[in-house]
Amino acid sequence: MSTDHAPTARTREKPSGDEEATTDLKLGEFQSVPTLTLSEARLLINAVMDHRKSIRKVEETETLIKTQDYLDVFARFKQKENIEAVERMLSAKQELELFERSQLGSLCCETAEEAKTLIPSLSNKISDQDLQELLDDITKLRHFVE
């Protein structure tokens, strides 16, 4: 009996291991990749699914349903206008990496200290005062819809 089998799965490239989101943000090949907040991801997935459903019958997978449920719970902004307003505020902060902006828009921290604790790479990029002003502006949009 021969034990030589064709591989049943593709070989996976080993991760480089140098990605980290600490005080020095090192995202490797993902460093400059556009990222989304949870609210933006929710808006995008819902729009794509609505479009697909309008064209043909779409079978929703368990993964898709769970992802939509997760985003429904954790997306801080539900209205398109507010999602776009937050994106404009975050995009104005060019000193921040795309990853940091999306994290700020998803986490909706209340204080600069909390934001810098959860996103350590912010510590040397933006003053506490500027960060607090940004967070306060984001918070105003959250309270506007609650």
Side-chain angles (χ1 to χ4, degrees):
M1 181 173 191
S2 175
T3 58
D4 293 328
H5 300 282
T8 57
R10 293 180 280 155
T11 58
R12 184 183 250 178
E13 186 178 317
K14 292 190 179 204
S16 62
D18 60 350
E19 293 90 4
E20 59 182 42
T22 59
T23 51
D24 293 322
L25 191 60
K26 297 177 189 170
L27 300 178
E29 65 184 290
F30 302 105
Q31 191 71 34
S32 299
V33 173
T35 55
L36 300 173
T37 64
L38 294 176
S39 300
E40 291 170 319
R42 179 182 176 273
L43 183 69
L44 180 65
I45 289 173
N46 288 343
V48 167
M49 292 308 298
D50 289 346
H51 176 72
R52 287 182 180 171
K53 287 176 185 176
S54 73
I55 296 173
R56 66 187 185 308
K57 186 176 189 279
V58 175
E59 187 172 326
E60 295 181 347
T61 64
E62 180 182 353
T63 302
L64 175 62
I65 293 167
K66 286 182 178 183
T67 300
Q68 288 176 310
D69 290 345
Y70 177 88
L71 293 172
D72 285 342
V73 171
F74 292 105
R76 302 296 181 130
F77 302 96
K78 310 290 188 208
Q79 296 177 340
K80 182 179 180 181
E81 298 78 22
N82 291 340
I83 295 168
E84 290 171 346
V86 170
E87 174 58 24
R88 281 190 301 274
M89 285 182 222
L90 293 169
S91 292
K93 298 296 182 186
Q94 293 294 310
E95 67 272 26
L96 302 181
E97 297 285 340
L98 298 170
F99 173 81
E100 295 162 333
R101 292 184 220 163
S102 64
Q103 291 298 298
L104 286 170
S106 292
L107 296 171
C108 292
C109 301
E110 292 189 19
T111 66
E113 180 184 2
E114 178 185 15
K116 288 183 176 185
T117 299
L118 294 174
I119 312 165
S121 58
L122 294 174
S123 61
N124 296 323
K125 292 186 179 177
I126 186 169
S127 72
D128 285 354
Q129 182 179 353
D130 288 344
L131 180 55
Q132 189 61 55
E133 287 175 17
L134 175 63
L135 296 174
D136 290 345
D137 289 342
I138 292 171
T139 299
K140 287 176 192 169
L141 284 173
R142 279 190 58 212
H143 291 306
F144 178 72
V145 294
E146 291 181 331

